[in-house]
Amino acid sequence: MAIESDVLVIGGGLAGLTSALSAARSGADVRLVSYKQSTLRNASGLVDILGYTPNGEGPLTDPYDAIPDLPSEHPYKTVGLETVRESMELFDEVTPQYRGSHTDTNALLPTHGGTIKPTARYPAGASAGVASDSRDVLLVGLESMTDFNAEHAAAHLDAAGVPFDVRGETIRFPGELRADAKVTRYAKMLDTNSEVTVRGRKKPVREAIAELVNTEIENESRVGFPAVLGDDHTAEIRQELGEKIGADVFEVPMGPPSLPGLRLEDRLFEALDEAGGMFETGNPVEDFEAEDGHIEHVLVEKNGAMVPYSADEFVLATGGLVGKGINSDREGVFEPIFDCHIDHSEDRYDWFDTEAFGDHPFASFGVTTDDRLRPLDGSGDLEFENLRAAGSVLGGYDFAAEKSGSGVSIATGYEAGNHAATEAQ
Amino acid sequence: MASVPHIAVIGGGSTGIGIARDLSMRGVDVTLVEQGNLTHGTTGRMHGLLHSGGRYAVADQKSATECIEENRVLRDIASHCVEMTGGLFVKRPEDTEEYFQKKLEGCKECGIPAEVVSREEARQMEPHLAKDIDKAITVPDGAIDPFRLVVANAASAKEHGARIETHTKVTDLLVEDDEVVGIEVEHASGAGKHVHGVEGGTEEIYADYVVNATGAWAGRIGDMAGVDIEVRPSKGVMTIMNIRQVDTVINRCKPKGDADIVVPHETTAILGTTDEEVDDPEDYPEKQWEVDHMIDTLSELVPMLEDARTIRSFWGVRPLYEPPNVGSDDPTDITRDYFLLDHDERDNLQGMTSIVGGKFTTYRMMGEEISDHVCEKFGIDAECRTADVPLPGSEDFSVLRDYMDEFGLRSPIGRRSVERLGSRADEVLKTDGPNPTVCECEGVTRAEVQDAIDQSGSDLNAVRIRTRSSMGNCQGGFCCHRMANELYGEYDELTTREAWDELLQERWKGQRHALWGQQLSQAMLNYAMHAATQNRDNDPADGTPIDFSAFDNGQAVTTGDDAGATDVATDGGQHGD
Ligand SMILES: Cc1cc2nc3c(=O)[nH]c(=O)nc-3n(C[C@H](O)[C@H](O)[C@H](O)COP(=O)(O)OP(=O)(O)OC[C@H]3O[C@@H](n4cnc5c(N)ncnc54)[C@H](O)[C@@H]3O)c2cc1C
Ligand SMILES: Cc1cc2nc3c(=O)[nH]c(=O)nc-3n(C[C@H](O)[C@H](O)[C@H](O)COP(=O)(O)OP(=O)(O)OC[C@H]3O[C@@H](n4cnc5c(N)ncnc54)[C@H](O)[C@@H]3O)c2cc1C
């Protein structure tokens, strides 16, 4: 018997999850299928709405102000300013661990490269690090963590003119970790507060770290660590370290694997579960059946078998080049499941700019849609009447340059989920 | 004339550095200047083949004989730069039997060990060879790392007292009465630039003799003194694959042609190449069809290349030289041999000799010949020792054992570090602190990066070529910032930031020719890590000052509490209760 639902969402990243959530909350019977971990594993965990305009103006203080002036192909223009606001309300409601909803104004957050970046929502764990706070900062690096050099980051922040004094110090993480230990190993030790031996005496790791920091701290009232402060008990760890050090403790967002990103992914799956949505991960959607421009079902590959999943409405939230929702070969760029049209030059040397941070067309590769997020073919007609696209599978924006990745995924996911639920009922 | 003459060598490629080592080992006073970092020119953009001579055995037997001689020498003195992979000349059904026999004969005439193997034998050696090949000839081709070799030569020259200045460009020749008496150089170092050697400014370096070893640029140096050097720069493309599809050098057994060789190199395989004359060694077109041509044509020998992932492509310019009266139309007909041009005999300009043409494989022999020439001029009677004294790193092969336990390195990383460092492994890897991995793709640890920084100053591209850090599959996506992190401390923030930017740009350059499939996805991931997370495209330290007070200062937030939005003081937020 075929698996059936009102709405089937393909892809379990920020866009797919938001889309499934909004559809479930509208009362639809929702199922989400996703292949692998999402791009949140790579992302900082900061939730950007818009930090720079497409022509590079910024950092913007108010992201919402700039939305009406975006080019017409931008996904924010497709869904409209009000939807962006509504979608952020949904996000705020389901993620109490996030901060920034008290204002429309962007915050500037330090990241592991030592720069600051504009963002709209940040984990509570990063909040004491905001750069517009004038309290002095001590950054603490870990000797074997090559991704973050606290002294270097401090000097870099200073060069950016931050309104506080900032210093870096490096400590050796107590205990017997390998030099190449994964961030999850650090997090685990802190979560369980394992005992470590320091100069012959056993003590809990959090206490040992606080002691090391206390020998370095001067009169800073904020202390930043790389984002490894636990996975399950991150608030508790921060609080305990903060009390022992006598300062507010924060995490500096890092590159992959990003614990703040993974924590957000976990939280959203939890929220989907609470809203009654169903989900399964680990198997890819490989193919589909359609008749007269109407998708009947998609085929999920499970241990070599192709299992049909049918639904009234489908949401394509498979990500962009990173999430593998968009793929390419020497001949061209394509969307692998439905072969939705992707606008791109035939000459692959037009896909990029010669400068590392130039205007890269590849960064905006993705499907084009009508105003209800339904993908269009090369001549501007609907690919399918019951398919919608959300998140970074969409074209028309460069999230990395604009700092708009999460915001676009949330706004379009929300809108696609709503439309799909309405149509299905 | 002074008893110890001072010789200025221009050019820090294999040729120049080989000369500097040879002369300094003979007790001569040497200054070598290079406009970029070492291997900035053709040497850093070549195929990495330690020629057996097989490729020239039919058409250019003098080059072939020199190659096999030097092949043997380098295996000995540069063991830590060489991987003796062996090579095959593969005949496909459409390639002629006549040429196959000529190749075999030619190899024998030149003293190159060569044997015929059947299709089955060849495919047993290299299972990914096409099923329909006829047969093959085995030859002692190998893979050689040009960066490591040049660095080891530089280290040896320095040990013997040579002065080596990188980022130092010759802007003029000092000429007095038809004699070159020195060079005028510009040092590109200084605050915020590369800090290495002499800082900033111009310098006049007087010398008793000048050697022009600038390869494809030799004509420009000649122009500075009004002499003509007819170098015919010819470009070639090379495409790097993400894995080693083959472990043996694979040549196509056919007269001449593009896209006829695959060289396994470290963790990759490199496809090549083309041969096309260009006007300017620094500015020539790099085209998509050239890359496609490599993949399409070489797939005839190794079919799996068709769908394999390429990580970048790069071009190099051969410094071919043809004596004035030959006049070949096709650059593939120009000899691969080298020429020593004494400008006194040739142009009545004393005090300078140029060396042009040749191969990387024969760099040492070229160095020997020109050193003999210089020594003769100054009446110095000193033996060349470069063929006998191993390079630093290759002195004691017994150190190539398993360092895993000793240095606490995971085994593949330990093995690769030791392979790269050779007998220097002990000295470099024994550090007090933890030794984490900086570049995961190539298994490069902090100790190696720090050692390279000690040697090469603030130039992260120089650190890259010494260690291979950022040269693997991800092309620096995950480690450029880590390399910058290692540089900071020794150097200030501004210097570090500029070196980091240069590294990012350089890494981007070659990837552009591999942007489809997985490598395009990788490029997007890299771009997102560097721009979305690190905001390096809009680094506030580079741009106009930011008004921090205009942004959210987080004040509505009580810290240290994840309990929920309910206990957050809201001043304008509409939700949370
Ligand atoms: C390195 C990096 C840093 C970033 N930093 C930030 C930042 O600081 N701030 C910010 O706001 N944004 C950032 N972003 C952007 C942001 O993370 C993304 O835009 C967003 O997460 C994309 O979400 P998505 O749901 O559209 O796609 P993805 O998260 O890519 O999700 C796609 C999902 O679909 C699944 N899938 C794909 N194909 C199939 C199939 N055939 N069948 C089933 N499932 C499939 C995938 O496995 C995956 O789970 C960053 C992105 C990257 C890469
Ligand atoms: C595509 C290709 C593949 C090749 N493959 C192989 C191979 O597999 N095996 C092999 O043995 N050989 C190979 N070669 C040949 C080999 O690479 C060259 O013969 C050799 O590297 C030349 O070295 P060089 O030192 O003479 O020149 P270069 O390496 O070019 O050195 C000259 C140096 O002079 C410097 N310079 C120029 N002008 C100035 C100035 N004004 N002031 C200061 N410095 C200056 C340049 O920056 C440059 O670094 C290949 C060549 C090409 C093009």
Side-chain angles (χ1 to χ4, degrees):
Chain A
M1 209 190 72
I3 297 156
E4 282 187 21
S5 38
D6 294 342
V7 177
L8 185 85
V9 177
I10 311 165
L14 206 40
L17 285 162
T18 309
S19 160
L21 253 175
S22 73
R25 289 176 154 233
S26 316
D29 160 38
V30 182
R31 181 183 292 272
L32 179 148
V33 288
S34 188
Y35 185 24
K36 293 188 174 157
Q37 254 179 356
S38 81
T39 299
L40 285 171
R41 182 188 179 277
N42 297 318
S44 63
L46 299 176
V47 174
D48 308 343
I49 295 179
L50 192 67
Y52 297 84
T53 66
N55 25 3
E57 283 156 45
L60 300 169
T61 47
D62 187 333
Y64 299 105
D65 263 0
I67 288 177
D69 298 326
L70 290 172
S72 60
E73 67 274 13
H74 199 290
Y76 281 146
K77 288 288 270 201
T78 311
V79 301
L81 180 59
E82 268 323 296
T83 304
V84 180
R85 284 188 181 278
E86 281 171 32
S87 69
M88 289 311 295
E89 280 173 32
L90 170 66
F91 176 83
D92 292 333
E93 195 187 320
V94 299
T95 56
Q97 301 79 353
Y98 269 72
R99 299 288 180 265
S101 63
H102 63 281
T103 173
D104 280 356
T105 306
N106 272 330
L108 299 172
L109 268 290
T111 75
H112 72 134
T115 51
I116 41 176
K117 63 165 279 184
T119 193
R121 298 288 186 275
Y122 37 95
S127 66
V130 291
S132 300
D133 184 334
S134 58
R135 292 176 298 158
D136 292 348
V137 169
L138 173 68
L139 295 176
V140 177
L142 306 177
E143 195 176 9
S144 38
M145 190 168 283
T146 52
D147 267 319
F148 181 64
N149 174 334
E151 289 85 348
H152 182 207
H156 199 166
L157 286 174
D158 196 50
V162 293
F164 48 84
D165 286 341
V166 50
R167 264 182 341 111
E169 293 286 355
T170 299
I171 61 170
R172 188 174 292 188
F173 197 89
E176 298 289 305
L177 285 179
R178 269 196 299 110
D180 283 324
K182 299 244 180 317
V183 294
T184 42
R185 284 285 304 140
Y186 292 94
K188 187 100 206 156
M189 278 186 78
L190 284 159
D191 269 339
T192 55
N193 204 10
S194 325
E195 293 232 308
V196 293
T197 309
V198 182
R199 274 179 266 106
R201 285 186 44 225
K202 280 189 190 296
K203 55 182 75 165
V205 68
R206 298 178 195 167
E207 189 182 318
I209 289 178
E211 280 174 10
L212 287 171
V213 174
N214 281 334
T215 64
E216 305 291 354
I217 196 162
E218 289 169 6
N219 41 20
E220 294 90 356
S221 45
R222 302 189 276 166
V223 176
F225 289 89
V228 299
L229 302 184
D231 201 8
D232 301 328
H233 304 291
T234 162
E236 177 193 308
I237 295 165
R238 260 186 353 263
Q239 183 160 5
E240 183 176 340
L241 287 175
E243 280 163 8
K244 292 199 157 80
I245 296 170
D248 281 346
V249 165
F250 64 94
E251 286 186 316
V252 178
M254 306 270 286
S258 158
L259 288 175
L262 290 170
R263 292 175 198 141
L264 175 57
E265 183 171 303
D266 286 350
R267 171 59 207 138
L268 292 173
F269 270 109
E270 221 174 77
L272 178 57
D273 198 29
E274 287 157 16
M278 281 171 295
F279 54 84
E280 54 182 83
T281 55
N283 302 305
V285 172
E286 299 246 291
D287 209 349
F288 69 101
E289 290 292 342
E291 211 168 297
D292 298 333
H294 186 91
I295 300 168
E296 306 286 335
H297 60 250
V298 293
L299 293 159
V300 177
E301 199 266 352
K302 284 187 184 173
N303 308 320
M306 292 293 244
V307 183
Y309 281 58
S310 58
D312 297 331
E313 293 287 324
F314 294 84
V315 177
L316 178 69
T318 44
L321 286 166
V322 177
K324 304 283 151 67
I326 307 287
N327 213 336
S328 61
D329 57 24
R330 280 199 278 155
E331 269 66 62
V333 185
F334 55 94
E335 183 280 299
I337 303 179
F338 302 100
D339 201 19
C340 289
H341 171 76
I342 311 278
D343 227 4
H344 66 278
S345 165
E346 296 220 331
D347 181 349
R348 65 169 196 262
Y349 280 66
D350 292 341
W351 297 356
F352 57 82
D353 188 88
T354 54
E355 294 292 307
F357 294 122
D359 244 331
H360 296 306
F362 70 76
S364 314
F365 283 165
V367 302
T368 325
T369 68
D370 71 353
D371 58 4
R372 304 179 63 104
L373 292 173
R374 291 178 297 185
L376 299 174
D377 64 18
S379 32
D381 297 324
L382 284 185
E383 292 269 13
F384 306 95
E385 61 185 24
N386 59 341
L387 179 69
R388 281 156 225 283
S392 48
V393 74
L394 292 169
Y397 73 114
D398 175 345
F399 76 77
E402 294 170 12
K403 327 299 162 190
S404 65
S406 301
V408 168
S409 287
I410 292 169
T412 55
Y414 172 83
E415 182 81 339
N418 270 344
H419 282 313
T422 314
E423 290 297 324
Q425 282 158 6
Chain B
M1 215 161 269
S3 55
V4 177
H6 175 212
I7 314 294
V9 179
I10 316 174
S14 53
T15 311
I17 212 77
I19 296 167
R21 178 181 193 228
D22 196 331
L23 284 173
S24 60
M25 283 174 83
R26 298 193 206 200
V28 173
D29 198 4
V30 178
T31 300
L32 179 141
V33 295
E34 162 57 50
Q35 62 184 357
N37 52 32
L38 294 175
T39 73
H40 172 84
T42 309
T43 303
R45 337 199 94 243
M46 52 85 90
H47 208 157
L49 172 67
L50 177 64
H51 282 275
S52 61
R55 285 177 73 80
Y56 308 120
V58 179
D60 192 351
Q61 293 203 340
K62 179 161 182 288
S63 293
T65 313
E66 289 166 359
C67 282
I68 186 65
E69 249 175 70
E70 287 302 297
N71 173 301
R72 295 199 169 101
V73 172
L74 292 182
R75 277 189 247 165
D76 219 29
I77 66 155
S79 55
H80 79 297
C81 309
V82 173
E83 182 189 351
M84 274 319 288
T85 58
L88 289 173
F89 279 85
V90 178
K91 176 184 175 317
R92 285 190 49 80
E94 60 270 32
D95 305 333
T96 70
E97 178 64 26
E98 187 198 344
Y99 187 75
F100 188 84
Q101 291 307 331
K102 272 195 189 163
K103 182 69 83 186
L104 195 60
E105 281 310 304
C107 284
K108 300 217 159 123
E109 282 158 26
C110 298
I112 302 164
E115 263 168 60
V116 178
V117 290
S118 68
R119 172 197 305 154
E120 290 69 30
E121 288 166 323
R123 295 194 71 235
Q124 219 159 35
M125 291 169 68
E126 285 302 333
H128 295 299
L129 278 176
K131 290 198 179 74
D132 61 343
I133 61 158
D134 277 348
K135 54 183 172 179
I137 301 172
T138 60
V139 291
D141 280 343
I144 185 157
D145 188 310
F147 306 117
R148 220 177 291 159
L149 184 94
V150 167
V151 167
N153 270 283
S156 170
K158 273 192 173 172
E159 274 170 21
H160 290 92
R163 171 181 171 201
I164 293 179
E165 291 286 342
T166 56
H167 301 289
T168 298
K169 181 174 180 151
V170 172
T171 47
D172 208 356
L173 291 173
L174 307 173
V175 183
E176 290 170 5
D177 302 328
D178 290 332
E179 179 175 357
V180 179
V181 296
I183 54 180
E184 182 190 278
V185 299
E186 205 163 297
H187 297 284
S189 297
K193 287 262 191 174
H194 301 296
V195 184
H196 189 48
V198 176
E199 287 203 13
T202 58
E203 184 186 0
E204 287 185 348
I205 301 176
Y206 283 87
D208 298 306
Y209 205 77
V210 173
V211 177
N212 172 19
T214 51
W217 288 263
R220 298 202 180 164
I221 300 292
D223 290 345
M224 294 174 185
V227 297
D228 262 345
I229 304 169
E230 304 80 8
V231 190
R232 294 179 60 178
S234 154
K235 72 165 176 171
V237 65
M238 285 143 291
T239 294
I240 310 185
M241 312 308 288
N242 71 326
I243 53 164
R244 274 168 80 124
Q245 284 86 0
V246 293
D247 290 319
T248 310
V249 175
I250 305 293
N251 300 273
R252 179 86 178 252
C253 191
K254 113 180 163 173
K256 62 185 177 189
D258 288 347
D260 63 351
I261 174 165
V262 184
V263 182
H265 186 73
E266 302 270 329
T267 55
T268 66
I270 309 181
L271 318 186
T273 175
T274 46
D275 201 340
E276 197 185 330
E277 201 156 337
V278 297
D279 297 329
D280 184 340
E282 279 167 33
D283 187 17
Y284 46 83
E286 299 178 345
K287 291 280 173 50
Q288 162 169 357
W289 71 261
E290 300 176 88
V291 176
D292 287 343
H293 183 46
M294 288 308 113
I295 299 170
D296 294 339
T297 310
L298 282 162
S299 303
E300 294 171 9
L301 288 181
V302 184
M304 76 181 292
L305 292 172
E306 183 67 49
D307 300 312
R309 171 174 175 185
T310 90
I311 57 180
R312 61 196 280 130
S313 286
F314 62 102
W315 277 256
V317 189
R318 296 177 190 81
L320 301 184
Y321 176 81
E322 189 167 67
N325 46 0
V326 182
S328 307
D329 288 337
D330 184 343
T332 57
D333 291 333
I334 302 177
T335 173
R336 269 26 183 182
D337 207 355
Y338 60 87
F339 297 86
L340 197 152
L341 311 177
D342 185 325
H343 295 291
D344 186 12
E345 291 160 18
R346 192 175 170 269
D347 313 292
N348 292 322
L349 175 72
Q350 292 179 42
M352 180 165 90
T353 289
S354 297
I355 182 149
V356 287
K359 305 290 306 167
F360 178 81
T361 303
T362 55
Y363 88 96
R364 194 212 58 83
M365 187 181 260
M366 293 163 73
E368 175 170 352
E369 192 167 324
I370 204 154
S371 298
D372 284 348
H373 181 76
V374 170
C375 285
E376 195 187 302
K377 285 211 182 275
F378 291 92
I380 298 172
D381 185 18
E383 285 282 302
C384 170
R385 293 188 295 139
T386 54
D388 306 314
V389 182
L391 288 164
S394 291
E395 292 108 341
D396 179 6
F397 213 61
S398 68
V399 300
L400 290 178
R401 61 200 140 86
D402 193 355
Y403 276 76
M404 181 173 125
D405 295 334
E406 194 164 343
F407 298 116
L409 297 168
R410 280 183 291 158
S411 81
I413 292 174
R415 181 173 54 72
R416 286 165 63 184
S417 298
V418 172
E419 278 169 7
R420 275 191 299 267
L421 294 164
S423 53
R424 293 191 60 240
D426 258 320
E427 170 197 335
V428 174
L429 297 178
K430 279 214 157 86
T431 61
D432 296 335
N435 190 20
T437 306
V438 172
C439 164
E440 276 139 22
C441 301
E442 293 293 316
V444 184
T445 61
R446 169 178 288 166
E448 272 183 89
V449 171
Q450 288 298 344
D451 173 62
I453 291 171
D454 285 347
Q455 291 180 32
S456 53
S458 67
D459 181 348
L460 285 178
N461 278 312
V463 173
R464 167 178 68 79
I465 63 174
R466 280 173 163 78
T467 58
R468 290 190 60 81
S469 189
S470 80
M471 289 171 80
N473 272 354
C474 85
Q475 292 287 295
F478 284 78
C479 70
C480 285
H481 69 282
R482 295 178 185 162
M483 291 170 71
N485 279 342
E486 295 300 320
L487 191 62
Y488 180 78
E490 197 74 32
Y491 296 96
D492 64 17
E493 192 277 327
L494 181 61
T495 307
T496 303
R497 191 172 353 127
E498 295 195 350
W500 182 5
D501 278 339
E502 269 180 22
L503 179 64
L504 288 171
Q505 286 299 345
E506 196 287 333
R507 292 288 72 197
W508 179 240
K509 231 168 63 193
Q511 267 175 83
R512 300 181 328 217
H513 303 287
L515 290 185
W516 68 86
Q518 288 182 64
Q519 209 58 25
L520 182 61
S521 296
Q522 178 78 56
M524 184 65 210
L525 176 61
N526 292 357
Y527 176 49
M529 291 193 288
H530 299 153
T533 304
Q534 296 174 5
N535 202 14
R536 288 288 291 144
D537 58 328
N538 272 297
D539 192 332
D542 294 329
T544 43
I546 292 176
D547 176 10
F548 285 88
S549 65
F551 290 85
D552 172 18
N553 64 4
Q555 243 166 36
V557 175
T558 53
T559 50
D561 192 342
D562 285 0
T566 34
D567 58 2
V568 171
T570 49
D571 65 352
Q574 311 91 317
H575 32 255
D577 44 54

